[in-house]
């Protein structure tokens, strides 16, 4: 088994993708983040889900949770969608971008595990010879292959 | 909607849980980590999946991916299971433990979002008045409530 066989489709966004669309991709998918592609379709970095929330939640709520306590669910939905409106994935990315772990299709399972361990990232991109995205491998999929009894 | 309504069952481990059992819990579940309970059943910290891999993958493979390239899948499985054998969750925890984000059952959706944003953690524990675990809320479940169209 090589990386090319384990690679599964993984949601991607571009730098110009609306932040709200990225948030909707994250909703209900149980993903550690989204792979961000550059203009040439090459994987560039990972957009962590928490980073989308950091953009969406007003700073005063992050500083003082008590202020968030008085807002009901409908209000919360409005606040978050307002926070994301007219903004893009590029604006949501952290200043210190997370290293995008990537391997070629021939990488072994242990190589992928070593890369996840070293970079502390639960998702590794698999790329072809021209660094275009083939798919991705998540930590749980890898664990499923390697440690299931 | 309050935290108590959104809280869902979430896999937990104890400090004495075998590391291999923790790895198997992570396999195929698409979770950002496991909630670690103390001896009194109170949530203590989060064990990130990548931390389990850091324990399982020999340091020489993390330092030099080329060494991992020659090991086949069966070999990789043996290496990882050997790395975890006879070790516990307590040993897998990082020295700098990740802050366990926790809220009470009355926390609002915006409060939970603010906490995830501030602590950069995609999972928040919901606890009762005695700080025992009621369940957990993941970022994707919260997004699902707040930003779905």
């Amino acid at each position: 088994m090589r990386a090319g066989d384990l690679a599964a489709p993984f949601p991607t966004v571009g730098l110009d993708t609306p932040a709200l669309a990225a948030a909707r991709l994250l909703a209900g998918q149980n993903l550690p983040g989204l792979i961000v592609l550059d203009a040439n379709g090459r994987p560039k970095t990972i957009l962590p889900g928490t980073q989308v929330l950091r953009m969406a939640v007003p700073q005063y709520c992050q500083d003082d949770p008590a202020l968030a306590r008085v807002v009901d669910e409908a209000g919360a939905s409005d606040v978050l969608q307002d926070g994301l409106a007219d903004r893009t994935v590029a604006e949501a990315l952290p200043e210190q971008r997370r290293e995008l772990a990537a391997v070629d299709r021939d990488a072994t399972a242990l190589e992928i595990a070593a890369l996840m361990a070293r970079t502390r990232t639960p998702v590794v991109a698999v790329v072809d010879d021209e660094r275009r995205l083939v798919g991705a491998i998540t930590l749980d999929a890898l664990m499923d292959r390697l440690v299931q009894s």
Side-chain angles (χ1 to χ4, degrees), chain A:
Chain A
M1 192 281 306
R2 299 277 167 154
D5 311 309
L6 250 188
F10 197 89
T12 60
V13 289
L15 289 166
D16 293 336
T17 301
L20 187 55
R24 287 185 174 142
L25 260 180
L26 285 164
Q29 287 214 54
N30 248 345
L31 296 170
L34 301 169
I35 291 180
V36 183
L37 303 180
D38 68 15
N40 297 313
R42 290 177 175 79
K44 196 178 175 74
T45 185
I46 288 271
L47 173 65
T50 51
Q51 199 63 33
V52 176
L53 271 186
R54 287 177 77 84
M55 175 187 262
V57 177
Q59 194 59 47
Y60 67 86
C61 290
Q62 294 184 48
D63 293 341
D64 184 355
L67 293 174
R69 198 151 189 118
V70 297
V71 179
D72 67 10
E73 187 176 351
S77 185
D78 289 344
V79 166
L80 261 64
Q81 300 201 36
D82 286 352
L84 296 171
D86 302 322
R87 301 175 83 172
T88 64
V89 162
E91 294 169 74
L93 287 172
E95 277 178 42
Q96 295 225 317
R97 291 183 183 181
R98 197 184 285 195
E99 179 182 357
L100 179 71
V103 294
D104 61 43
R105 281 184 283 206
D106 289 333
T108 63
L110 190 56
E111 216 175 337
I112 301 160
L115 187 61
M116 284 183 184
R118 186 173 62 74
T119 59
R120 298 176 191 266
T121 174
V123 56
V124 161
V126 182
V127 294
D128 67 15
D129 294 343
E130 296 180 327
R131 272 197 70 80
R132 276 189 298 247
L133 189 68
V134 172
I137 300 166
T138 57
L139 185 140
D140 63 282
L142 187 71
M143 289 281 199
D144 200 33
R145 293 290 290 239
L146 297 180
V147 304
Q148 279 301 59
S149 48

